[in-house]
Amino acid sequence: MTSSAGNPFDLDDDSAYQQWREHKLANYPHTAAELLVDINDPRTLSEAESALIKNRVNACNMLIYRSKLGSLEDKNIPRKLGQQLGLDALDPNMLADDDGITSLTVVEGKNKRGYIPYSDKRLLWHTDGYYNAPGQQIRAFILHCVRPASAGGENALLDPEMVYLRLRDENPAHIMALMHPEAMTIPANMESGQVTRPARTGPVFSLDPIAHRLHMRYTARTRSIVWRDDDMTVKALTALGKLLDEANPDVFHYRLQAGEGVLSNNVLHSRTAFRQGQTEAEQRLLYRARYYARISTN
């Protein structure tokens, strides 16, 4: 929701910000249970299910859906769900499967190369594609759980708009620092002496040029990242770090079960470490679809 009278993400437009802020806080959920949406089959949404999804996304940029599909292995689940919500342009990142949808499971080869999503280790706070080029920013993702791990693997979720709101309320200078075009640099990715991705420099907070909604790129990693070296940025990152505390009431915690999933406008998320079982049925498997567009809520 943006104000019809102006831009709530413009630091010089306090009236629009206050109007947006009031609406945001009045509609923001208080518990993970309020994110839950029951749908029969994500591949064929009913009108009522579609309307409920859009309502949840408008309120907090995310939801958790529960379907009746259980442990069905079908990549059309996230693909067709996305298509019904205006999500067509998949991000064909280098580790995705050939069809553009990633099978997230423990893969020894990728794990040893340092790609944490393919390991059983914890994932720190991040938004997807924070290392992508400006024209290929990830603005939405779907995580669909086929099989949970035997133990662990809980996600934490946080709406970037709430982060913006809390930081702006504390000190607008935090927003100014994090909107600087050189706020965060991800160094080039090297493998076997070859550059597989060039360095990327850009802001943490920016405006989606099409939807005119807030976009965030961030990682809590301390390696392979360079922050702008000035006092304003240091103070902003310190304040941001406090908001990423597990006890923050704006943060939602949920462990996906078979047939459940997260649908979001690329909210901040993390994952605890997990433990696998011995049988195939105990091997964690999630499908991840990442998109360049936001979820259509019209």
Side-chain angles (χ1 to χ4, degrees):
M1 179 253 182
T2 55
S3 170
S4 59
N7 178 4
F9 305 115
D10 182 347
L11 289 174
D12 293 326
D13 195 341
D14 189 62
S15 177
Y17 171 68
Q18 294 299 334
Q19 179 183 336
W20 169 83
R21 180 184 184 279
E22 181 180 2
H23 184 273
K24 184 74 179 180
L25 292 175
N27 291 277
Y28 197 71
H30 299 290
T31 65
E34 294 178 63
L35 297 178
L36 296 175
V37 174
D38 288 305
I39 56 180
N40 182 46
D41 186 341
R43 298 168 296 186
T44 54
L45 297 175
S46 68
E47 288 188 14
E49 289 170 341
S50 180
L52 191 55
I53 285 172
K54 292 175 180 180
N55 179 268
R56 288 284 196 282
V57 171
N58 270 328
C60 56
N61 284 303
M62 63 181 138
L63 60 87
I64 298 166
Y65 64 82
R66 297 186 295 199
S67 78
K68 297 181 179 180
L69 299 183
S71 57
L72 176 66
E73 294 188 35
D74 182 2
K75 287 188 176 180
N76 274 327
I77 298 170
R79 187 189 311 281
K80 291 188 174 181
L81 173 59
Q83 289 172 347
Q84 295 169 87
L85 298 167
L87 301 177
D88 292 306
L90 281 160
D91 172 47
N93 60 91
M94 66 179 183
L95 294 177
D97 300 344
D98 291 342
D99 58 7
I101 293 177
T102 303
S103 299
L104 289 177
T105 190
V106 175
V107 179
E108 198 64 28
K110 294 178 181 178
N111 179 4
K112 288 181 177 178
R113 288 160 61 194
Y115 296 112
I116 304 302
Y118 300 92
S119 75
D120 56 6
K121 300 179 178 66
R122 68 172 181 141
L123 269 172
L124 299 176
W125 282 106
H126 67 285
T127 57
D128 275 12
Y130 58 85
Y131 40 74
N132 278 23
Q136 296 178 314
Q137 290 294 291
I138 304 303
R139 306 196 186 277
F141 70 75
I142 297 172
L143 276 178
H144 178 81
C145 181
V146 177
R147 294 187 301 269
S150 298
E154 179 185 82
N155 288 114
L157 306 165
L158 177 58
D159 183 356
E161 290 183 353
M162 287 299 293
V163 174
Y164 176 95
L165 186 154
R166 301 302 187 193
L167 289 176
R168 181 163 172 172
D169 282 359
E170 179 177 327
N171 188 346
H174 295 334
I175 302 301
M176 190 180 302
L178 297 177
M179 280 190 157
H180 193 282
E182 297 178 356
M184 183 175 82
T185 296
I186 308 301
N189 191 61
M190 304 285 293
E191 288 197 28
S192 302
Q194 300 295 315
V195 177
T196 58
R197 175 192 43 73
R200 308 287 194 201
T201 297
V204 173
F205 288 127
S206 61
L207 281 184
D208 183 321
I210 297 175
H212 304 292
R213 295 288 294 267
L214 190 73
H215 176 65
M216 186 176 187
R217 58 188 286 270
Y218 176 77
T219 175
R221 293 181 65 173
T222 54
R223 296 174 57 189
S224 301
I225 183 167
V226 179
W227 291 100
R228 186 166 180 254
D229 187 14
D230 73 312
D231 288 342
M232 282 180 57
T233 303
V234 170
K235 291 176 181 177
L237 290 174
T238 299
L240 174 55
K242 292 177 181 178
L243 293 177
L244 298 178
D245 187 282
E246 296 293 313
N248 180 355
D250 295 334
V251 174
F252 303 114
H253 301 270
Y254 194 83
R255 183 172 182 269
L256 292 172
Q257 300 299 313
E260 299 181 339
V262 175
L263 174 65
S264 93
N265 282 323
N266 200 6
V267 298
L268 284 155
H269 52 290
S270 66
R271 185 197 72 200
T272 63
F274 60 87
R275 185 175 69 250
Q276 305 250 74
Q278 298 300 314
T279 67
E280 182 180 351
E282 297 173 301
Q283 303 300 303
R284 186 178 189 267
L285 172 61
L286 275 75
Y287 295 140
R288 183 186 67 195
R290 307 198 303 192
Y291 302 92
Y292 299 140
R294 288 173 60 89
I295 299 163
S296 173
T297 55
N298 298 326

